[in-house]
């Protein structure tokens, strides 16, 4: 990617954190959830801002939409690094670690479910392993009106 994305998205995530929207109840006490913050921040950084600027429009990217899959984040965060060389499997001429990848998928998926329950992300299209399609997630970073506007725009572009 040759241009910066997600700066305004990142500011919106920071605002959500200030409002206490990235929390979890642990032992009856509400506290900040770093895992939700980290995942939402990463998704925001990797998605185009709303409203789209001219560069993003020219690239035909979708605003506040994450569709790169959990594997990208898992690899970026080092979640798939093998503990031993025995764990490495050659998949498509690429050294991979399927066991660690599955653990990462499960972990990221659980965090995503928390974000979805909190209304901070919305799945617009489910992923399909057989077709090698990643899910399409809409980041709900604004107020209700702005989120509805972004969702309508993205749905029209995806023909959903």
């Amino acid at each position: 990617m040759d241009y910066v994305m997600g700066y305004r998205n990142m500011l919106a995530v920071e605002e959500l954190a200030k409002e206490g929207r990235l929390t979890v109840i642990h032992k009856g006490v509400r506290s900040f959830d770093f895992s939700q913050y980290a995942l939402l921040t990463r998704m925001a950084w990797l998605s185009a801002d709303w409203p789209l600027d001219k560069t993003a429009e020219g690239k035909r990217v979708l605003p506040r939409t994450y569709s790169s899959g959990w594997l990208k984040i898992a690899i970026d965060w080092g979640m798939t690094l093998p503990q031993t060389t025995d764990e490495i499997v050659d998949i498509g001429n690429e050294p991979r670690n399927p066991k660690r990848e599955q653990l990462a998928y499960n972990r990221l998926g659980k965090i995503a479910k928390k974000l979805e329950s909190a209304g901070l992300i919305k799945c617009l299209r489910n992923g399909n392993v057989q077709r090698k399609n990643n899910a399409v997630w809409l980041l709900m970073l604004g107020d209700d009106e702005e989120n509805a506007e972004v969702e309508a725009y993205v749905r029209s572009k995806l023909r959903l």
Side-chain angles (χ1 to χ4, degrees):
M1 205 157 304
D2 58 349
Y3 64 100
V4 175
M5 296 195 321
Y7 179 74
R8 290 190 310 268
N9 290 345
M10 296 286 291
L11 294 177
V13 170
E14 291 298 319
E15 199 58 39
L16 292 170
K18 281 184 199 173
E19 294 169 5
R21 304 261 321 264
L22 297 166
T23 59
V24 64
I25 297 179
H26 182 68
K27 295 183 181 179
V29 178
R30 182 174 299 280
S31 61
F32 183 75
D33 189 342
F34 287 99
S35 62
Q36 288 183 56
Y37 175 77
L39 184 57
L40 188 59
T41 298
R42 189 66 178 164
M43 293 168 82
W45 182 251
L46 295 171
S47 61
D49 288 319
W50 177 261
L52 291 173
D53 59 23
K54 291 183 184 205
T55 305
E57 283 179 3
K59 301 269 184 190
R60 297 183 183 197
V61 297
L62 297 174
R64 293 189 181 163
T65 305
Y66 180 77
S67 60
S68 297
W70 299 141
L71 184 59
K72 171 160 181 40
I73 292 175
I75 290 170
D76 288 350
W77 285 352
M79 296 173 78
T80 62
L81 294 174
Q83 300 298 310
T84 66
T85 55
D86 296 339
E87 295 177 359
I88 299 171
V89 177
D90 185 27
I91 300 175
N93 291 331
E94 184 179 334
R96 305 253 309 260
N97 187 343
K99 287 181 184 177
R100 304 265 309 166
E101 287 176 15
Q102 190 59 52
L103 288 171
Y105 293 151
N106 294 344
R107 207 162 158 204
L108 293 171
K110 284 179 185 177
I111 299 167
K113 290 295 178 196
K114 289 180 187 177
L115 290 169
E116 192 172 26
S117 294
L120 298 175
I121 61 174
K122 185 176 194 175
C123 186
L124 297 182
R125 186 181 72 212
N126 288 320
N128 185 312
V129 175
Q130 286 79 22
R131 293 183 182 171
K132 296 183 181 179
N133 289 340
N134 293 322
V136 175
W137 294 94
L138 182 67
L139 282 58
M140 311 296 279
L141 303 177
D143 59 27
D144 291 341
E145 184 179 318
E146 183 179 80
N147 288 338
E149 184 181 350
V150 175
E151 184 174 355
Y153 177 84
V154 170
R155 283 184 179 278
S156 72
K157 295 297 181 183
L158 291 175
R159 296 187 177 129
L160 297 175

